Amino acid sequence: MTAPPQRLRLPLRRRRRLGLGALVVLFGLILLVPALVQLAAEWPWFSALGYGRVFTTRLVAQAILGLGVGAVAWAFLYANLWVAQRGLVPNPLIVQFNAGASTVDVTQLALLSASGAAGGWLGVLLFLHRTPFGVTDPVFGRDIGYYVFTVPVVASAIGLVTMLAALALTAVVLLYLVRRDVVVFRRQVTVEPSARVHLAGLIALLFLLTALRVYFVGLPGLLYSTTGPLVGASYSDLHAELIGLRLVALAALAGGALVLWGATSHRLARNTLVAVGVYLGVWLLGVALYPTIVQRLVVAPNELVKETPQLARHIAATRRAWGLDSVVTRELTGESRLTERDIRANRPTIDNVRLWDRDPLLQTFGQLQEIRTYYDFVSVDDDRYWIDGQYRQVLLSPRELNSASLPTRTFINERLTFTHGMGLTLGPVNQVTQEGLPVLFIKDLPPVSSVSLRVTRPEIYYGELTDSWVFARTRQREFDYPSGDENIFASYEGTGGVRVGSWLRRLVLAAYFRSLKVLLSSDITSDSRAMYFRNIRERARTALPFLLFDADPYLVVSDSGRLRWILDAYTATTRYPYAQPLADGTNYLRNSVKVVIDAFDGTVTAYLADPRDPLVLTLAKAFPGIFRPLDAMPADLRAHLRYPEDLFRVQSDLYATYHMAEPEIFYHREDQWQKPVLSRAPERGDPFLRHMVMRLPEEHQAEFILMVPFTPRGKDNLASWMVARNDGQHYGQLVVYRFPKQSLVFGPTQIVNRINQDTEISRQISLWDQRGSEVIRGNLLVIPIEESLLYVQPLYLRAEGGRIPELKRVVVAYLNQVVMEETLEAGLARLFGGATEPPAVAAARGAVARPGEGRAADLARQAAELYQRAIAAQRAGDWAGYGEHLSRLGEVLRQLQGALEGRQP
């Protein structure tokens, strides 16, 4: 009577298995279809961009690694289960206690292993194409590249095999328990002979893997220890823990041998417990206890003496890893006093003092130049240009389209009509109009320039704000820019984006964008261009997924008038021995790549900026043809390369401590610096980190630099200042100018206190406050001139209920003198003597030329030049020349007045 139930149970079991299999297949399809759609949409994007090699290399590497690891995992688990079940099992299970229990298939576990391993594709590629650093670690004598490229792969491989061995051991133990091949009765464990050999082999393998992990991963890990007063192997690590780890590795090997011996002597369980006990005992004594005793009883009482060699290694490694070993140090006398002649000799520096802070200027741009609600200015960037024959520092901001601000957000408006931003606003850092507003060299829609700089291709299809996909060159006209009450429309003329082409690609794009309208819209044709990954950061990260990027991309106007973005890209690692890490573990960073993205067609070009970096050389071998030499970058773009702010910020933070190269001084922190600290917290971090155009001491011409001052830790006086040079052959050079320790140089905090205590300034600010206006204090500018420092702080005024900050006063401080005037020139004249520019000339210098007003701009420049010649003749005692220049100046001013009156409506 038992046969019918058996016949009924077997089909039921099959149905359960089929149901589980169907669920697995369905789940696989749910995951597979979106992945296939993503691949089908991204392949043409990479191909159109010229980065198909990145796509295929990554895909092939992931496939080979995933399939290889998956096959090994499947074979290893299957073999162990096959042995445990003594024969071929069509569908080997880890465990199934009864017919209704859920099961786990070996194939599923292999797929999980493959999926996890595929994520490590980049590390394997770097290992296969590794480049030596040319520097060895001081403990084991291996090249740094071994720790950066080899150790992570070895650690991952050992970890993977350990996981498989542990999983197999768990599975076979459960199977042997179910099959009664392993019986635990009271305190005695009985194991069937074949099962004993099998289990012993797996346990011994785990001991072997433990020994390998200790030797190949644990020992190198000492180079990142934080036991002592440094990062890296300390005295106790080298003289105690290193010995302990080697003994632990030997104990693990001995434990494996003991387990194998137990398989032949019928003492497997006992020997396994003894092996584990010996291993833990050696680890406890050799790794946990002995190094602690050495640290407390031997090192702590004589820490400086014991750790001096290790401190020297740590300092040297940190300086190499962060590029601080090449910093040039120059000593200043600290005794020079500025004179009017020094101010005249450093005219390029004075003419480029940045009176406009980014935040007030961004607010002003937003109110004056957004023009329509759907345009936004996201950020303001510093740069320098040759404008009308002068080297000028400027502030610029691109005018981007914010689709979220469109009055009507429909598919046609968001995806087909409003597709791009338009132009930029650009002006000098130090000029203002008579109303206290910034002078603008480039402004309005379409962009109009009053100087020699021109914009010929103002459309911004790719930017910082553009994060949505659009279609260009459709039957729907694209909005270009507003003109009065009318709108100007255009059709895309570039090659950016992916051509829609066939109906199949259109289907893929519709699925990728999750928009049925893409498939159904009659406005989209086969010749239309699908633009996605338009945000320049996302675009760069997608095209170059193995690089890190600076947080501040900047826009450049090329000589041809095209707008191009420049992004600073980094190579980094957390595996540089003995080097000081950041909070995220990074302890090596290089600005190895400069990425240029065209704002009109989205072209991405990567230039190799640091050919000495082993990481980028390894990437160049793994992805041949991706990087171009920096010499191939057009000269008009190279002229605008900037030293990246993020890197300089980190380097200057570290240099405040690691300029102390002597271990004893470093240990006591005798000469530690810090960046100036203000009582009022700044709105932005590092308020004293500034770009500026200036002539460095002992140099002959002005250049574009990135600068930050230092004060002694806990003090307010200035100790030094550090610059990163940006121009020409000096690009990337870091220079530190140090003041003598015995001299007192006022620091920013002391100057701020003097400004606050000045009665004239306090009275004026109080008067403005009483009228309901908001006084905005600009950032205090530290301006090195010769071997001295000049401090400048702009004061902005925002009327009650208003939104536009206006520059109203400039505070100038030198030594213990503080003055406040309407212009920087007037403040300098009060401090150092000499005549200030008359109001007419000042207005002429600050006048803004409009379209068709080239004559007015030329007359303004002539007036300024004649005024300077007149002053020079006066100082030289050439009164005849002085009178002649004044006479010509009067004539030019009369012509200028006529030109200005003639242009008024």
Side-chain angles (χ1 to χ4, degrees):
M1 299 296 296
T2 59
Q6 290 177 352
R7 284 194 296 270
L8 289 173
R9 270 198 301 269
L10 288 175
L12 179 62
R13 217 175 270 177
R14 291 193 187 101
R15 286 198 299 270
R16 285 172 177 167
R17 290 179 181 177
L18 287 173
L20 178 62
L23 287 175
V24 171
V25 171
L26 180 61
F27 182 71
L29 288 175
I30 293 175
L31 294 179
L32 185 61
V33 171
L36 291 177
V37 169
Q38 181 178 354
L39 290 176
E42 292 185 359
W43 165 244
W45 184 88
F46 276 93
S47 298
L49 208 58
Y51 285 77
R53 181 179 290 273
V54 174
F55 181 88
T56 55
T57 300
R58 180 179 63 181
L59 190 62
V60 170
Q62 289 176 331
I64 293 177
L65 190 60
L67 290 174
V69 170
V72 170
W74 188 92
F76 183 82
L77 293 175
Y78 188 93
N80 278 278
L81 292 174
W82 184 84
V83 170
Q85 299 188 70
R86 297 187 181 88
L88 182 62
V89 180
N91 188 24
L93 307 177
I94 285 195
V95 64
Q96 182 178 14
F97 290 105
N98 54 62
S102 60
T103 62
V104 180
D105 195 287
V106 168
T107 304
Q108 295 171 350
L109 294 174
L111 287 175
L112 290 175
S113 301
S115 176
W121 66 274
L122 182 58
V124 174
L125 275 182
L126 295 179
F127 168 72
L128 295 176
H129 299 89
R130 59 192 179 276
T131 302
F133 274 65
V135 178
T136 58
D137 79 275
V139 176
F140 303 108
R142 292 182 178 271
D143 186 87
I144 302 299
Y146 172 78
Y147 304 99
V148 174
F149 302 120
T150 304
V151 170
V153 174
V154 172
S156 298
I158 294 175
L160 175 65
V161 179
T162 301
M163 180 198 71
L164 293 176
L167 192 61
L169 179 62
T170 303
V172 298
V173 165
L174 291 174
L175 279 173
Y176 285 138
L177 286 172
V178 171
R179 293 172 56 89
R180 307 287 294 173
D181 289 335
V182 175
V183 179
V184 180
F185 182 74
R186 295 183 179 177
R187 295 186 177 181
Q188 186 173 358
V189 180
T190 303
V191 185
E192 189 270 336
S194 62
R196 184 170 60 245
V197 173
H198 188 188
L199 292 174
L202 288 174
I203 296 172
L205 176 61
L206 285 174
F207 272 106
L208 174 62
L209 291 170
T210 301
L212 293 176
R213 173 170 285 277
V214 170
Y215 187 82
F216 287 104
V217 181
L219 292 182
L222 292 178
L223 300 177
Y224 315 98
S225 170
T226 56
T227 302
L230 65 141
V231 174
S234 63
Y235 181 91
S236 62
D237 292 325
L238 296 175
H239 295 83
E241 189 165 351
L242 179 60
I243 299 172
L245 286 174
R246 286 172 173 166
L247 292 176
V248 165
L250 292 176
L253 291 176
L258 189 61
V259 168
L260 292 177
W261 179 59
T264 61
S265 61
H266 306 283
R267 297 178 178 179
L268 176 61
R270 179 181 176 184
N271 284 15
T272 300
L273 292 176
V274 171
V276 172
V278 169
Y279 174 81
L280 293 177
V282 173
W283 182 88
L284 183 65
L285 293 175
V287 177
L289 188 59
Y290 180 53
T292 303
I293 294 174
V294 170
Q295 179 67 29
R296 293 185 178 180
L297 301 183
V298 178
V299 178
N302 308 281
E303 190 172 53
L304 178 57
V305 175
K306 297 294 184 182
E307 299 289 13
T308 293
Q310 290 71 245
L311 283 171
R313 296 170 179 174
H314 169 64
I315 296 170
T318 299
R319 290 167 65 97
R320 280 196 306 270
W322 291 102
L324 302 178
D325 55 336
S326 58
V327 174
V328 177
T329 303
R330 295 178 181 173
E331 302 294 336
L332 301 174
T333 63
E335 299 176 355
S336 62
R337 294 293 183 267
L338 291 180
T339 64
E340 184 188 0
R341 175 175 293 182
D342 295 324
I343 299 298
R344 292 200 310 272
N346 289 270
R347 197 71 224 177
T349 302
I350 299 301
D351 287 342
N352 287 284
V353 172
R354 200 176 96 176
L355 299 180
W356 284 102
D357 286 347
R358 292 184 180 181
D359 288 339
L361 188 63
L362 189 62
Q363 297 173 30
T364 303
F365 282 172
Q367 293 300 313
L368 298 180
Q369 284 291 305
E370 280 185 1
I371 300 176
R372 291 291 188 271
T373 58
Y374 39 78
Y375 287 127
D376 271 347
F377 291 102
V378 179
S379 62
V380 176
D381 292 317
D382 288 272
D383 208 341
R384 71 284 195 196
Y385 288 84
W386 283 96
I387 297 177
D388 295 333
Q390 291 185 327
Y391 195 56
R392 303 294 301 272
Q393 183 177 352
V394 300
L395 291 167
L396 60 94
S397 183
R399 185 185 292 104
E400 298 197 49
L401 181 75
N402 184 357
S403 59
S405 299
L406 290 173
T408 305
R409 299 186 63 183
T410 62
F411 174 80
I412 292 178
N413 276 354
E414 288 191 71
R415 308 301 184 185
L416 309 181
T417 302
F418 292 89
T419 56
H420 58 274
M422 174 59 66
L424 74 160
T425 298
L426 180 148
V429 296
N430 66 325
Q431 287 184 242
V432 295
T433 65
Q434 293 181 346
E435 296 80 17
L437 299 176
V439 169
L440 301 180
F441 288 161
I442 300 177
K443 61 178 181 176
D444 296 340
L445 288 172
V448 176
S449 174
S450 61
V451 292
S452 56
L453 194 62
R454 295 286 186 269
V455 178
T456 59
R457 180 57 75 182
E459 299 91 342
I460 301 177
Y461 283 86
Y462 301 87
E464 294 183 85
L465 190 61
T466 49
D467 57 356
S468 60
W469 52 270
V470 298
F471 284 85
R473 200 180 295 165
T474 65
R475 292 192 179 100
Q476 188 71 32
R477 295 188 304 168
E478 291 181 53
F479 172 79
D480 206 24
Y481 60 88
S483 179
D485 295 332
E486 298 180 354
N487 292 331
I488 305 300
F489 293 87
S491 180
Y492 183 66
E493 299 175 354
T495 58
V498 174
R499 186 174 180 271
V500 173
S502 66
W503 180 87
L504 180 59
R505 178 172 291 176
R506 187 164 174 170
L507 177 63
V508 168
L509 292 173
Y512 186 68
F513 297 142
R514 299 179 181 180
S515 174
L516 187 61
K517 295 177 182 178
V518 172
L519 192 62
L520 302 178
S521 174
S522 60
D523 291 320
I524 299 175
T525 68
S526 60
D527 197 42
S528 298
R529 315 289 298 189
M531 297 184 177
Y532 42 110
F533 295 120
R534 294 200 302 146
N535 181 279
I536 55 173
R537 294 187 184 90
E538 181 187 16
R539 191 173 186 84
R541 284 196 297 264
T542 304
L544 303 164
F546 35 78
L547 298 176
L548 303 175
F549 289 90
D550 193 86
D552 185 27
Y554 53 99
L555 191 69
V556 171
V557 182
S558 68
D559 287 352
S560 64
R562 292 182 73 100
L563 302 181
R564 291 187 170 93
W565 297 94
I566 297 181
L567 294 85
D568 289 292
Y570 303 108
T571 50
T573 182
T574 61
R575 305 290 305 175
Y576 200 102
Y578 269 105
Q580 179 69 28
L582 303 180
D584 63 356
T586 302
N587 60 8
Y588 174 94
L589 191 69
R590 288 293 185 274
N591 176 214
S592 300
V593 179
K594 302 286 187 179
V595 178
V596 178
I597 299 180
D598 192 287
F600 181 65
D601 60 27
T603 303
V604 178
T605 310
Y607 296 94
L608 199 154
D610 187 355
R612 298 170 300 175
D613 174 36
L615 284 174
V616 79
L617 294 179
T618 300
L619 290 171
K621 289 188 288 185
F623 302 93
I626 294 300
F627 301 116
R628 299 184 184 182
L630 191 61
D631 292 340
M633 179 183 288
D636 58 337
L637 294 181
R638 289 195 66 179
H640 293 279
L641 293 182
R642 297 188 331 194
Y643 197 83
E645 287 190 32
D646 287 352
L647 177 59
F648 185 67
R649 183 177 294 107
V650 171
Q651 288 178 313
S652 55
D653 286 340
L654 289 169
Y655 195 78
T657 299
Y658 288 89
H659 72 276
M660 299 178 288
E662 293 297 326
E664 183 174 356
I665 298 175
F666 179 89
Y667 179 81
H668 293 297
R669 299 295 197 269
E670 294 178 12
D671 191 25
Q672 189 169 11
W673 300 338
Q674 67 181 23
K675 294 176 182 177
V677 178
L678 297 177
S679 57
R680 179 174 61 93
E683 295 182 3
R684 294 174 178 262
D686 289 342
F688 297 103
L689 192 148
R690 289 283 184 226
H691 286 100
M692 63 177 67
V693 170
M694 65 166 290
R695 184 173 66 84
L696 294 172
E698 301 179 7
E699 298 293 338
H700 301 292
Q701 64 182 28
E703 56 186 284
F704 190 62
I705 65 162
L706 183 59
M707 177 263 192
V708 68
F710 293 109
T711 65
R713 185 172 181 83
K715 303 292 184 181
D716 292 332
N717 60 290
L718 216 62
S720 62
W721 46 282
M722 184 178 192
V723 301
R725 305 177 73 175
N726 291 271
D727 289 350
Q729 63 181 358
H730 299 299
Y731 174 84
Q733 186 181 57
L734 301 179
V735 186
V736 171
Y737 295 88
R738 301 171 59 118
F739 292 105
K741 294 182 180 180
Q742 66 273 13
S743 64
L744 175 62
V745 180
F746 289 123
T749 302
Q750 295 166 319
I751 295 297
V752 168
N753 292 336
R754 288 185 175 274
I755 293 174
N756 293 336
Q757 294 167 4
D758 187 274
T759 56
E760 179 186 353
I761 297 175
S762 299
R763 181 184 59 80
Q764 183 61 64
I765 292 177
S766 299
L767 182 61
W768 282 329
D769 287 335
Q770 291 173 5
R771 295 175 179 174
S773 298
E774 179 187 1
V775 179
I776 303 174
R777 296 194 178 202
N779 289 322
L780 184 67
L781 306 177
V782 183
I783 304 170
I785 296 181
E786 299 298 340
E787 295 193 2
S788 296
L789 292 175
L790 191 68
Y791 289 91
V792 175
Q793 184 178 43
L795 297 180
Y796 310 96
L797 195 64
R798 182 159 49 200
E800 184 177 6
R803 297 183 180 181
I804 302 179
E806 299 175 1
L807 179 61
K808 289 300 183 184
R809 294 291 188 275
V810 179
V811 178
V812 187
Y814 175 66
L815 297 179
N816 58 351
Q817 298 174 278
V818 178
V819 299
M820 181 177 71
E821 291 292 338
E822 293 187 6
T823 65
L824 175 62
E825 295 288 345
L828 293 174
R830 280 187 59 184
L831 285 176
F832 302 104
T836 62
E837 293 182 345
V841 177
R845 289 171 61 89
V848 190
R850 299 178 183 176
E853 295 172 359
R855 174 169 171 75
D858 291 339
L859 289 172
R861 283 189 288 273
Q862 291 179 32
E865 184 178 355
L866 287 170
Y867 169 75
Q868 296 294 341
R869 292 178 181 176
I871 295 301
Q874 180 189 38
R875 296 192 181 109
D878 182 8
W879 298 108
Y882 175 72
E884 179 183 354
H885 292 316
L886 278 185
S887 176
R888 293 177 58 191
L889 174 60
E891 178 60 29
V892 170
L893 289 177
R894 283 191 294 272
Q895 295 178 26
L896 176 60
Q897 182 179 6
L900 294 176
E901 291 176 350
R903 74 184 185 188
Q904 294 178 356

